[in-house]
Amino acid sequence: MLLRSLVPLLFTLLAAAPFCVADDGYRLWLKYDVVADAALRKEYQRAAQFIVAGGESATLKTAAEELQQGLQGMLGKAVPMVGEEKGRKGGIILRTDAAAAKNAPLGPEGYRVFTDKQNIVITGRTDAAVLYGSFALLRQLQTRQPLTNLALTSTPKIQHRLLNHWDNPNGTVERGYAGSSIWKWYELPEVIDPRYRDYARANASVGINGVVLNNVNASARYLTAEYLQKVAAVAGVLRPYGIRVYLSVFWAAPKTIGGLPTADPLDQKVRQWWTSKTDEIYRAIPDFGGFLVKANSEGEPGPQDYGRHHADGANMLAAALGQHDGLVMWRAFVYKADAKGDRFKAASQEFLPLDGKFAPKVLVQVKNGPIDFQAREPFHPLFGAMPRTPLVLEVQLTQEYLGFATHAVYLAPLIKECLDADTHAKGPASTVARVVDGSVDQHAVSGIAGVANIGADRNWTGHPLGQANWYAYGRLAWDHTLTSQAIAEEWTRQTLTTEPRAVATVAGLMQQTRSIYVRYTTPLGLHHIMGQSIHYGPEPWLAQSDRPDWTSVYYHRADSEGLGFDRTATGSNALKLYQPAVQQLWGNPQTIAPDYLLWFHHVPWSQPLSTGRTLWDELCTRYYTGADSVQWLQQQWASVRPQLDAALHADVAARLQTQHKEALWWRDACVLYFQTWSRRPIPAPFTPPQRTLADVKQLVDLYQLR
Amino acid sequence: MLLRSLVPLLFTLLAAAPFCVADDGYRLWLKYDVVADAALRKEYQRAAQFIVAGGESATLKTAAEELQQGLQGMLGKAVPMVGEEKGRKGGIILRTDAAAAKNAPLGPEGYRVFTDKQNIVITGRTDAAVLYGSFALLRQLQTRQPLTNLALTSTPKIQHRLLNHWDNPNGTVERGYAGSSIWKWYELPEVIDPRYRDYARANASVGINGVVLNNVNASARYLTAEYLQKVAAVAGVLRPYGIRVYLSVFWAAPKTIGGLPTADPLDQKVRQWWTSKTDEIYRAIPDFGGFLVKANSEGEPGPQDYGRHHADGANMLAAALGQHDGLVMWRAFVYKADAKGDRFKAASQEFLPLDGKFAPKVLVQVKNGPIDFQAREPFHPLFGAMPRTPLVLEVQLTQEYLGFATHAVYLAPLIKECLDADTHAKGPASTVARVVDGSVDQHAVSGIAGVANIGADRNWTGHPLGQANWYAYGRLAWDHTLTSQAIAEEWTRQTLTTEPRAVATVAGLMQQTRSIYVRYTTPLGLHHIMGQSIHYGPEPWLAQSDRPDWTSVYYHRADSEGLGFDRTATGSNALKLYQPAVQQLWGNPQTIAPDYLLWFHHVPWSQPLSTGRTLWDELCTRYYTGADSVQWLQQQWASVRPQLDAALHADVAARLQTQHKEALWWRDACVLYFQTWSRRPIPAPFTPPQRTLADVKQLVDLYQLR
C-alpha cells in the first residue's frame, strides 16, 4: 500500500527525467506534471494510446518525441510510437500533407488538429507545422481542456518570429539580468550544452522560428571560419525545432577580418567580400536566416562613414544574399547627438526618405516606440509611414527600463498597446499589427523581433514571472489577436497552477503589473528619467552626460511653469510625423489620454486634467497609488500561496518586497525632485516622503558607482 | 516485484531531493548517492542508526542536518535525530567539548572522530570543529571506508582559509569562465538564492572558513549601508557553516561615498571615516572577517597617491578594526610599468623595506609566483624574505592562464609545487608552506587565499574537472601535507565513481594534466606569452601593448642567439632576491631544473641541456609531446566511460577535444614563431606544422576582436 502510493510520485519523477525534480523553474511552461484529476487523466489516456510519427524527418521525429515526453509526464505512463495506425483507434497521428491547405488557408506553418475516426490527427503543409500542432495539442492537455471532437486550426500572422540575443562573445549579455549568455562560445563547437535543446523546445512550443545569436553591437568574430563552425553547431541543434539562425554583423568586418582598406558598401571588393562570406555561411548553415544590422548608431560603424545611406548598406547585403533564402533586417534605431533636436524624430528623418529604396530582401526593424523601450511609449511614427518597406517590430523582453529582474512586469499589455495602436495609414484599423503583418501594405514578407530576456540562470529569466514575457511574446508573434489576459491565464495554468481561482488571481495581478510600474516610475507620459548607463532606478535630476539626449532633463523639461516635452507645432513638432487622425488624437492636451500627455505637451503644474486634478496633484497621485499598488500585488500573490510551489512562491514574494522598496525610491525621488520645480505641496491624503531629496539621490546614485 | 525493484531508485531520487536527479554536476562532491554494495550499506546502516546533535547552536544543527542528508542518501533510509543516546549503541554523537584539546592539540577547529561504546563520537573544541568532523565522517562513507574503530583526528595547519571572489557588482566575474557571479546583488537582501547555502555546504565540507565576496578591483558600493544589508544577508547564510565574510575595499571610498576631499591614510577625517564605517560593518555583521586590499596596483588608487606607503594604508585599516576580531589582507601584487625593469622584482622592491612596519592585524597577501598565476612559476621571492610579516599565499583556481574552462588542468600539483618549495629562509625545510602556516617565523596568525573558479553555471565551475580544483584547494588549505594524488582519488571517489580501476585512471590522468599543459604552452620556464587582455590562446609575437610588461616579448626575450629572461647577475639579477641556497640551485643553467630554465637564463638555441637535447630541440620536443599527450588524456578518459555518468563523461570528452585543438594552436604558434628566431628545423621525429605562422596568428588573433 505504501509502495502503491509511491508510484504516482515515482512516475512524476521519472517523467521529469531530463529536468529537475525541484521546481526550480528550468522546465518553464513545459512542465508536464502528472494530471492529478484521475478521471481526466483516464480520459487523456484513452485518447493518447499511441503515436504515429508519420515520417522520418528530424522535425517529425522531434514532434513525436515531444508528444511522448509530455504525455508520459501528464498521463503517468509511456505512450508507444507505432509505425502506422492500421485501423487502431485512440491514438495521435502526425501527418505532413502538402495538400492540407485545400481545407483551410494554413500557409506553410499553420496546423490543424482534429478528431478523425477516433484518432487525433495533427496535420499541416510542412513538418514544422505539425510540430507546432503537436505543441498545441500538448497545451490542450496542460491547460486541462477536453480532447473530444478536437478542431484546432491556427496559422501565424507574421512569418519571421525572432528572438534577438544581445549576447556578447565574452559570455556577457548586454542588458541581461538573468546571468550569463546561454551560448558558450569558447566551448563550441565541441561541447553542445544540453540547454540548447531545451531552449529550442521552449521556442518551438510558442512558434518562434528564428534566433539572432549575437548582440547588435556585433563582434566580427562571428563571421570568421572559426566562429561559423560554432554557429553551425548551434544551428544543428535548433534546426529540428524549425528554428533558423541569424547573425548580427559588424559593419566594418571587411576591414577587421577581411583585410580590406574600406567597408564602403559601393566598393566592389567590399561587395565581393560580403558575397563570398555569405556563400561561406550558407555552406556551413544551409538554412541560415540572414543578417541583423545596427549601423551608424551609438558609435557603430556603417555606410554613412563613406557618405552612403542606410539603403546602400542594406541593399549591398541583400545582393550578397543573392539567391540564398535569407533576409536583411536593418535597424532604424539611430539618433545623432543634438541638444537642440528631438531624438523622437531622428529615425524618421533618416529613414522616411529611403522608403522604396530598399531591395526586396530588406526589412527595416523598428522599435515599438520612438525613444528606447520605455515603460510606455507612443507607437513609433515610422509604422504606417513607410508603405513600400516591410517593417519588423522590435520589442524588448529583457527589462532594461522596467526593473531588471526584480520588478514583476508582464509585458503583453505593453506589446499589445503597440500592436493595437492605429496608425491610420490607410484609414482606420491600420493598426501597427497590420502594418507589421503586411496586410496594410500587402507585403509578402513580415517579421517581428523580441530582445530576449534569457540568460544562464537556472530559471532562464531571473524573475520567475519573466518567463511569461518570453511566452507571451511568442504567442503574440504567432497571433497578435490573442488577448494579454488569455495568454496570462494560459501561461499560468501551464507553469504555476491549474487551480481556477489561483489562475484568475495570478493572471489578474499580471495584467496590472505594467500599468502599476508606469505609475510609480513614469506616469502621464514621462520617459527616460532613469539612472544613466545602467538604467537602474530613478535619476530625474540627471543633467550631464556624454550626450545631451542621454540626460533626464532633455526629456522631462521640468521648469517652474510645468512639465513635459512640447512635441506639437509650438515645440519640436514631432507630432507631425503621424497621420492627421493621430495628430488630432494627441495634439490637444485636453483630449489626449493622460497616459500620453507629457510625451507631447509641456503642461502647467496647475493645469486641471481630465482626471479632475491638476497636473501636479495627478502626478503625485499616480506616484503614490502606483507604489501602493505594489502592496496590492503582494497581497494578491500571498493569497495564492497554498496553490503554488513553495520555493517559487517565496522567490517571487521576495522580489515583490524588493520591488516595493524600489517603487518607494522612484516615488520619493520623483515627487521630491519635481517638487523643486512645482513648489507645491504633496496633496492630501498622501504623506510627504520622510526622507529628503538628498537622501534618495545618495541612495540611488550609489548604484552608479563602478 | 516491479514495484519492489523501483524502491531503491525511489530512495535515490528522494535522497537527492534538494538537488537534481540528472547528474548535472550541481551536487559537486556531496553527491550522497546510495551505496550500491548491499553488505557495506548494511554495515553503514548498523553504525548510523541515530544522530545526537548535542546542542541547539545553528552550527551543530547544521552538522546534524548535513549528516542526516548525507546518510539518508547513502544508506537509502532516514536516520532519526534523538535528544540523547541514553545508552543506545550504533549512533553518531556530536559533542562540542572545550576540553577536547586535553587529548590532542586540536586547536579551535580540529576534530576527533572516534568509536566509543559502539557509537561514533564527533568532537572538537568548537561547533565548527564538530561540523568539520561531521564532513570527515561523511567523506569516510563517500569513499567507502570502514566505520569500525574509527580514529580520525585532524587540525588545520592554516587558520584563515579563504576563497577570494573576483565578482563585480554588475554580476560579471573578472577572469570567470563558469557563468555569471553567484551573488545576485540586485536581488539581495530580499531574495536569498538557495544556491548560497549549497555554496556554504561545499566550502565547509573542505574546511574553507572565509570568503571575500567581491573583486579586488573593488566598487565602493559594498561599503554603503544599502550594500551592507546585502552582505549581511549572505553572511547570515554562511555563518552556520563556520564561514566568515570579508570585503575587498576600494581605497578611495572616503571620497566617493564619504564625501571627503582625500583618502590619505594619515588624514584624521579619513581615519575617522574608516573607523566609523568599520563599526557600522560590525553592527551589521558581528563576525565580519576583515578587508582585502588591492592598492596602487594596475590603476587602483592607494596610499601612494598621497606619498604614503603600503604599511601606512594597511595600518590605518588595522586601526579602524580596533578591537573587532578582523584582519587586513594587503595584496603585494604591485608593479610599475618600466620597459627597462623586471616585473619579477617589483613587489619585493616595494614590500621588503616594509617588513616589520605592519600592524599586528595586517597580513600581506602574496601570489604563488612573482609574475601572475602562470602555468609554472618559481615561488615568489617574498616568501621567506619578510620574517616579521605574516604572509598569505594567494593561488588562483580560476584558469585565467590555464585554458579557461576548456582545458583540464588539475591544480593541486601546481599549488603543492609552491607549498613544497624550500625558501631556505631559516635553513633547509623552510618551505613556503611553513612560511605561510607561520611555523618558520612563529607567527600567531596565518592565511591562504584561492581565487575562486566558481560561477552560476549549473555545475559551478564550467569544466566538470574544475570542481576538483575547488576541492583540492580547500583540502590543501586545511592540510598542506596531503598529496595531490590522494586528493585526486578522494575527489574522484566522491564525485565520479568508486570503481577502483576507474578511480586510479581518473586520478592518474588528473595528476598529469598540469605538466601536460605546461609542455604545450610554456615549457622550460617560458611565461606570459598568451593572448593579451583576455589571456586566451598563444600570442608570443605580442610586442605592443598599453604597457611594456603586458607584451610577450618582454618575457621571452627571443633573439637570434637564444631564448629566456636573464635574471642572473648578468641580467636583472632578480635571482638575488632568493636565499643563497636557492640562488645556487637556480643560478647555473647547467644545474637548474629544465622546468625553470628560461625563467632565469637566456640560453643559446644550440645549448645542450641536461636532457641531452639542444634548447631548440628540447623546446620543440616539449611542445610536440605536450600536444600529443592531450590525446593520451583523451584515451585515458575514454577508457573509464562505462564507469561514469554518460552526460558528464561526454561533456569532458568534448572539452578534451577542444583542448587538443587548442594545444595544437599553442604548439604551432610557438614553434613557428620561435623558429623565426632560431632558424632551425623542427627536429625528427616531429612533422613541421602544416599551417604557416600567419595562419595561426590569424586564427588566434580573432579571439582578440571585440
Side-chain angles (χ1 to χ4, degrees):
Chain A
M1 197 53 200
L2 168 70
L3 291 180
R4 207 167 283 273
S5 72
L6 287 173
V7 172
L9 172 61
L10 184 58
F11 273 126
T12 314
L13 294 171
L14 288 177
F19 291 114
C20 212
V21 170
D23 197 358
D24 58 12
Y26 182 79
R27 294 179 293 163
L28 295 160
W29 50 87
L30 303 175
K31 287 175 70 176
Y32 301 148
D33 282 341
V34 72
V35 174
D37 178 336
L40 187 62
R41 192 168 68 245
K42 275 240 149 53
E43 181 198 320
Y44 287 169
Q45 284 171 348
R46 271 194 302 271
Q49 298 171 44
F50 60 89
I51 299 167
V52 181
E56 285 299 307
S57 83
T59 297
L60 277 181
K61 282 173 70 177
T62 294
E65 285 166 13
E66 194 68 31
L67 281 169
Q68 263 196 321
Q69 180 177 341
L71 292 171
Q72 173 155 348
M74 289 187 281
L75 310 189
K77 60 186 286 188
V79 179
M81 211 89 84
V82 302
E84 43 186 311
E85 69 266 33
K86 290 184 187 158
R88 287 167 63 180
K89 299 179 195 314
I92 299 170
I93 299 165
L94 311 190
R95 185 186 301 150
T96 304
D97 178 3
K102 277 186 293 191
N103 302 319
L106 289 181
E109 294 180 305
Y111 59 80
R112 286 182 65 209
V113 182
F114 58 98
T115 305
D116 182 48
K117 299 176 194 150
Q118 296 180 48
N119 286 318
I120 297 171
V121 178
I122 304 175
T123 191
R125 276 169 47 192
T126 63
D127 296 344
V130 174
L131 175 67
Y132 295 134
S134 301
F135 278 115
L137 177 61
L138 285 166
R139 194 155 55 228
Q140 289 290 107
L141 277 81
Q142 284 186 283
T143 54
R144 308 293 187 260
Q145 307 300 310
L147 296 187
T148 44
N149 297 319
L150 276 177
L152 309 174
T153 301
S154 189
T155 297
K157 296 194 162 42
I158 298 172
Q159 288 175 320
H160 301 283
R161 305 172 299 279
L162 272 67
L163 275 190
N164 290 3
H165 284 270
W166 287 0
D167 293 20
N168 299 313
N170 68 359
T172 59
V173 181
E174 185 163 331
R175 312 303 179 185
Y177 314 106
S180 60
S181 173
I182 59 171
W183 313 117
K184 304 284 187 181
W185 296 111
Y186 285 105
E187 300 167 15
L188 284 163
E190 290 86 6
V191 183
I192 305 292
D193 190 327
R195 187 163 201 154
Y196 302 158
R197 186 167 164 270
D198 290 321
Y199 165 85
R201 296 175 58 233
N203 277 331
S205 77
V206 291
I208 289 167
N209 65 0
V211 174
V212 185
L213 293 178
N214 61 322
N215 194 354
V216 288
N217 298 319
S219 168
R221 288 193 201 185
Y222 295 95
L223 296 175
T224 63
E226 176 78 4
Y227 266 69
L228 287 177
Q229 288 181 48
K230 301 172 190 273
V231 173
V234 174
V237 179
L238 306 190
R239 186 170 295 117
Y241 292 90
I243 299 167
R244 295 169 73 181
V245 156
Y246 299 64
L247 288 176
S248 293
V249 294
F250 179 59
W251 185 259
K255 293 164 69 180
T256 52
I257 59 169
L260 297 181
T262 175
D264 180 350
L266 301 192
D267 181 279
Q268 277 312 311
K269 286 200 173 123
V270 170
R271 298 175 74 86
Q272 186 50 51
W273 186 87
W274 280 108
T275 300
S276 302
K277 182 54 70 178
T278 305
D279 290 343
E280 182 189 347
I281 294 173
Y282 275 90
R283 281 193 299 276
I285 309 156
D287 59 345
F288 181 68
F291 302 122
L292 175 63
V293 190
K294 175 178 180 177
N296 293 119
S297 169
E298 297 184 329
E300 293 297 307
Q304 293 177 349
D305 303 346
Y306 307 95
R308 316 303 181 186
H309 54 53
H310 291 292
D312 291 326
N315 294 348
M316 184 273 284
L317 287 177
L321 282 164
Q323 297 303 310
H324 298 299
D325 177 23
L327 298 173
V328 178
M329 294 174 177
W330 193 273
R331 293 175 88 237
F333 180 66
V334 297
Y335 57 108
K336 306 268 187 291
D338 177 4
K340 301 277 175 223
D342 181 0
R343 178 171 161 188
F344 194 113
K345 301 192 290 186
S348 299
Q349 284 161 345
E350 289 194 37
F351 278 84
L352 285 180
L354 301 177
D355 190 32
K357 299 215 163 80
F358 290 99
K361 279 171 178 282
V362 178
L363 298 91
V364 169
Q365 182 160 319
V366 183
K367 291 189 180 184
N368 59 294
I371 301 298
D372 191 7
F373 295 138
Q374 297 300 295
R376 169 167 278 135
E377 298 201 29
F379 69 89
H380 200 297
L382 281 176
F383 290 112
M386 293 185 71
R388 299 172 67 193
T389 311
L391 301 185
V392 175
L393 169 61
E394 178 181 309
V395 296
Q396 192 182 46
L397 310 177
T398 187
Q399 294 171 231
E400 175 179 359
Y401 302 98
L402 289 106
F404 288 19
T406 39
H407 293 232
V409 183
Y410 174 53
L411 293 174
L414 185 159
I415 300 171
K416 283 288 282 186
E417 187 170 310
C418 176
L419 286 166
D420 292 346
D422 196 342
T423 69
H424 289 270
K426 296 265 165 80
S430 302
T431 60
V432 171
R434 294 189 58 246
V435 171
V436 171
D437 73 19
S439 57
V440 165
D441 299 304
Q442 306 302 314
H443 289 299
V445 61
S446 58
I448 186 167
V451 180
N453 60 343
I454 299 164
D457 271 0
R458 185 66 183 164
N459 75 359
W460 302 85
T461 57
H463 200 306
L465 298 185
Q467 296 183 353
N469 294 330
W470 183 6
Y471 183 87
Y473 165 72
R475 298 288 286 139
L476 285 173
W478 180 280
D479 182 358
H480 52 65
T481 68
L482 294 172
T483 67
S484 304
Q485 175 76 27
I487 297 170
E489 288 175 11
E490 195 180 274
W491 175 81
T492 302
R493 290 170 76 85
Q494 294 174 84
T495 312
L496 301 179
T497 176
T498 52
E499 198 279 314
R501 204 190 52 84
V503 171
T505 302
V506 172
L509 79 85
M510 285 169 67
Q511 277 287 88
Q512 296 304 316
T513 48
R514 186 268 191 141
S515 82
I516 291 170
Y517 184 85
V518 170
R519 287 173 86 89
Y520 66 71
T521 61
T522 48
L524 293 169
L526 284 172
H527 51 282
H528 207 294
I529 58 172
M530 68 287 155
Q532 74 173 316
S533 308
I534 59 167
H535 303 165
Y536 185 71
E539 206 170 0
W541 47 83
L542 181 64
Q544 294 296 325
S545 188
D546 288 347
R547 292 174 54 152
D549 47 4
W550 288 349
T551 67
S552 296
V553 299
Y554 175 99
Y555 296 96
H556 64 62
R557 311 252 159 156
D559 56 26
S560 57
E561 283 176 41
L563 182 66
F565 198 132
D566 181 5
R567 291 190 168 107
T568 67
T570 56
S572 78
N573 212 9
L575 194 58
K576 198 150 187 299
L577 294 169
Y578 292 99
Q579 293 290 331
V582 179
Q583 291 182 41
Q584 199 177 345
L585 189 68
W586 289 341
N588 184 339
Q590 300 306 313
T591 58
I592 186 173
D595 282 347
Y596 288 94
L597 179 65
L598 304 176
W599 271 102
F600 295 103
H601 302 281
H602 189 72
V603 181
W605 297 110
S606 58
Q607 178 74 47
L609 306 187
S610 58
T611 61
R613 298 188 190 89
T614 64
L615 171 68
W616 170 249
D617 286 359
E618 184 65 32
L619 189 77
C620 292
T621 300
R622 294 193 176 206
Y623 273 116
Y624 273 82
T625 57
D628 287 350
S629 296
V630 180
Q631 290 180 298
W632 175 81
L633 292 176
Q634 293 178 289
Q635 289 156 5
Q636 293 294 300
W637 186 254
S639 75
V640 297
R641 192 158 75 92
Q643 281 76 44
L644 267 57
D645 175 83
L648 180 136
H649 190 274
D651 183 333
V652 172
R655 284 173 209 268
L656 285 168
Q657 269 188 279
T658 311
Q659 182 172 352
H660 186 241
K661 177 182 73 179
E662 296 182 10
L664 294 177
W665 294 353
W666 273 95
R667 183 196 75 182
D668 292 354
C670 293
V671 300
L672 290 171
Y673 168 75
F674 290 124
Q675 195 176 39
T676 65
W677 296 105
S678 79
R679 305 203 167 275
R680 284 155 192 271
I682 306 293
F686 307 117
T687 312
Q690 300 301 298
R691 50 192 161 192
T692 65
L693 180 55
D695 291 340
V696 197
K697 272 188 181 177
Q698 193 176 34
L699 177 58
V700 299
D701 282 351
L702 74 91
Y703 282 88
Q704 297 292 334
L705 293 170
R706 175 185 80 162
Chain B
M1 196 55 198
L2 168 71
L3 290 180
R4 207 167 284 273
S5 71
L6 288 173
V7 172
L9 172 61
L10 183 58
F11 274 126
T12 314
L13 294 171
L14 288 177
F19 292 113
C20 210
V21 170
D23 198 358
D24 58 12
Y26 183 78
R27 294 177 294 164
L28 295 160
W29 49 88
L30 304 175
K31 287 176 70 178
Y32 302 148
D33 282 342
V34 73
V35 175
D37 178 336
L40 187 62
R41 191 168 68 244
K42 274 240 151 52
E43 181 199 321
Y44 287 169
Q45 285 171 347
R46 272 195 301 272
Q49 299 171 43
F50 59 89
I51 299 166
V52 181
E56 285 299 306
S57 83
T59 297
L60 277 181
K61 281 172 71 176
T62 294
E65 284 165 13
E66 194 66 31
L67 281 168
Q68 263 196 320
Q69 181 176 343
L71 292 170
Q72 173 156 348
M74 289 187 280
L75 309 189
K77 59 186 286 188
V79 179
M81 211 89 83
V82 301
E84 43 186 312
E85 68 266 34
K86 290 184 188 157
R88 287 167 62 181
K89 299 179 194 314
I92 299 169
I93 299 164
L94 311 190
R95 186 187 299 151
T96 304
D97 177 4
K102 276 186 294 191
N103 302 320
L106 290 181
E109 294 179 305
Y111 59 79
R112 287 183 64 212
V113 182
F114 58 98
T115 305
D116 182 47
K117 298 174 193 151
Q118 295 180 50
N119 285 318
I120 296 171
V121 178
I122 304 175
T123 190
R125 276 168 48 191
T126 62
D127 295 345
V130 174
L131 176 67
Y132 295 134
S134 301
F135 278 114
L137 177 62
L138 286 166
R139 193 154 57 229
Q140 289 291 106
L141 278 82
Q142 285 185 283
T143 53
R144 308 293 187 259
Q145 307 301 309
L147 296 187
T148 43
N149 297 319
L150 276 177
L152 309 174
T153 301
S154 190
T155 297
K157 295 196 164 41
I158 297 173
Q159 288 175 320
H160 301 283
R161 305 173 298 278
L162 272 66
L163 277 189
N164 290 2
H165 285 269
W166 288 359
D167 293 20
N168 298 314
N170 68 359
T172 59
V173 180
E174 184 163 332
R175 311 305 178 184
Y177 314 106
S180 60
S181 173
I182 59 171
W183 313 118
K184 303 285 188 182
W185 296 111
Y186 285 105
E187 300 167 15
L188 283 163
E190 290 85 6
V191 183
I192 305 292
D193 190 327
R195 187 162 202 154
Y196 301 158
R197 185 167 164 270
D198 290 322
Y199 165 85
R201 296 175 57 232
N203 278 331
S205 76
V206 291
I208 289 167
N209 65 1
V211 175
V212 184
L213 294 178
N214 61 322
N215 193 356
V216 288
N217 299 318
S219 168
R221 288 193 201 185
Y222 295 94
L223 295 175
T224 63
E226 177 78 5
Y227 266 69
L228 288 177
Q229 289 179 49
K230 301 171 190 275
V231 173
V234 173
V237 178
L238 307 191
R239 186 171 296 118
Y241 292 89
I243 299 166
R244 295 169 74 180
V245 156
Y246 298 65
L247 288 176
S248 292
V249 294
F250 179 59
W251 185 259
K255 293 164 68 180
T256 52
I257 59 169
L260 297 181
T262 176
D264 180 350
L266 301 192
D267 181 280
Q268 277 313 312
K269 286 200 172 123
V270 170
R271 298 176 74 86
Q272 185 49 51
W273 185 87
W274 281 108
T275 300
S276 302
K277 182 54 72 180
T278 306
D279 290 343
E280 181 189 347
I281 294 172
Y282 276 90
R283 281 194 299 276
I285 309 156
D287 60 345
F288 181 68
F291 302 121
L292 176 63
V293 189
K294 175 178 180 176
N296 294 119
S297 169
E298 297 183 329
E300 293 297 308
Q304 293 176 349
D305 303 346
Y306 307 95
R308 316 303 181 185
H309 54 54
H310 291 291
D312 291 328
N315 295 348
M316 183 273 285
L317 288 178
L321 283 164
Q323 295 304 311
H324 297 300
D325 178 23
L327 298 173
V328 178
M329 293 173 177
W330 192 273
R331 293 175 89 237
F333 180 65
V334 298
Y335 57 109
K336 306 270 186 287
D338 177 4
K340 301 276 174 223
D342 181 0
R343 179 171 160 187
F344 194 114
K345 302 192 289 185
S348 299
Q349 284 161 344
E350 289 194 38
F351 278 85
L352 285 180
L354 300 177
D355 190 32
K357 298 216 163 82
F358 289 99
K361 279 172 179 279
V362 178
L363 298 90
V364 170
Q365 183 161 317
V366 182
K367 291 188 180 184
N368 59 294
I371 301 298
D372 192 8
F373 296 138
Q374 297 300 294
R376 170 167 275 135
E377 297 202 28
F379 69 88
H380 200 297
L382 281 177
F383 290 112
M386 294 185 72
R388 300 170 67 191
T389 310
L391 300 184
V392 175
L393 169 62
E394 178 180 308
V395 296
Q396 192 181 46
L397 311 177
T398 188
Q399 294 171 232
E400 175 179 0
Y401 301 97
L402 288 107
F404 288 20
T406 39
H407 293 232
V409 183
Y410 174 53
L411 293 173
L414 185 159
I415 300 170
K416 283 288 283 185
E417 186 169 309
C418 177
L419 286 167
D420 293 346
D422 197 342
T423 69
H424 290 270
K426 295 267 164 78
S430 301
T431 60
V432 171
R434 295 189 57 246
V435 170
V436 172
D437 73 18
S439 57
V440 166
D441 299 304
Q442 308 302 315
H443 289 300
V445 61
S446 58
I448 186 166
V451 180
N453 60 343
I454 300 165
D457 272 2
R458 184 65 183 166
N459 73 0
W460 302 86
T461 57
H463 200 307
L465 299 185
Q467 297 183 353
N469 294 330
W470 182 8
Y471 183 86
Y473 164 72
R475 297 288 286 138
L476 286 172
W478 180 280
D479 182 359
H480 52 66
T481 69
L482 295 172
T483 68
S484 304
Q485 175 77 27
I487 297 170
E489 288 176 11
E490 194 181 274
W491 175 80
T492 302
R493 291 170 76 85
Q494 294 174 85
T495 313
L496 301 178
T497 176
T498 52
E499 198 279 314
R501 204 191 52 84
V503 170
T505 302
V506 172
L509 79 86
M510 285 169 67
Q511 277 288 89
Q512 296 305 316
T513 48
R514 185 267 190 140
S515 82
I516 291 171
Y517 184 86
V518 170
R519 286 172 87 90
Y520 66 72
T521 61
T522 49
L524 293 170
L526 283 171
H527 50 283
H528 207 294
I529 59 172
M530 67 290 154
Q532 75 175 316
S533 307
I534 59 167
H535 302 166
Y536 185 70
E539 206 170 359
W541 47 82
L542 180 65
Q544 294 295 324
S545 187
D546 288 347
R547 292 175 53 152
D549 47 3
W550 288 350
T551 68
S552 296
V553 299
Y554 176 99
Y555 296 96
H556 64 62
R557 311 251 160 158
D559 56 28
S560 57
E561 283 176 40
L563 183 64
F565 199 131
D566 182 5
R567 291 191 168 106
T568 67
T570 56
S572 78
N573 211 9
L575 195 57
K576 198 150 188 298
L577 294 169
Y578 292 98
Q579 292 291 331
V582 179
Q583 292 182 39
Q584 200 176 346
L585 190 68
W586 289 342
N588 184 340
Q590 300 306 313
T591 58
I592 187 172
D595 282 347
Y596 288 93
L597 179 64
L598 304 176
W599 271 101
F600 295 103
H601 302 281
H602 190 72
V603 181
W605 297 109
S606 58
Q607 177 75 48
L609 307 186
S610 57
T611 61
R613 299 186 190 90
T614 64
L615 171 67
W616 171 250
D617 285 359
E618 184 64 33
L619 190 76
C620 292
T621 300
R622 294 193 177 207
Y623 273 116
Y624 273 82
T625 58
D628 287 349
S629 296
V630 180
Q631 291 180 296
W632 175 81
L633 291 177
Q634 292 178 289
Q635 289 155 6
Q636 293 294 300
W637 187 254
S639 77
V640 297
R641 193 158 74 92
Q643 281 76 44
L644 266 56
D645 175 84
L648 181 136
H649 189 274
D651 182 334
V652 172
R655 283 172 210 267
L656 285 168
Q657 269 189 279
T658 311
Q659 182 172 352
H660 186 241
K661 177 182 74 179
E662 295 182 10
L664 294 176
W665 294 354
W666 272 96
R667 183 195 75 181
D668 292 355
C670 293
V671 300
L672 290 172
Y673 169 76
F674 289 124
Q675 196 176 38
T676 65
W677 296 106
S678 79
R679 305 200 167 278
R680 285 157 190 270
I682 305 293
F686 306 116
T687 312
Q690 299 301 298
R691 50 191 160 192
T692 65
L693 181 56
D695 292 340
V696 198
K697 272 188 182 178
Q698 193 176 34
L699 178 58
V700 300
D701 281 351
L702 74 91
Y703 282 88
Q704 297 292 334
L705 293 170
R706 176 185 79 162

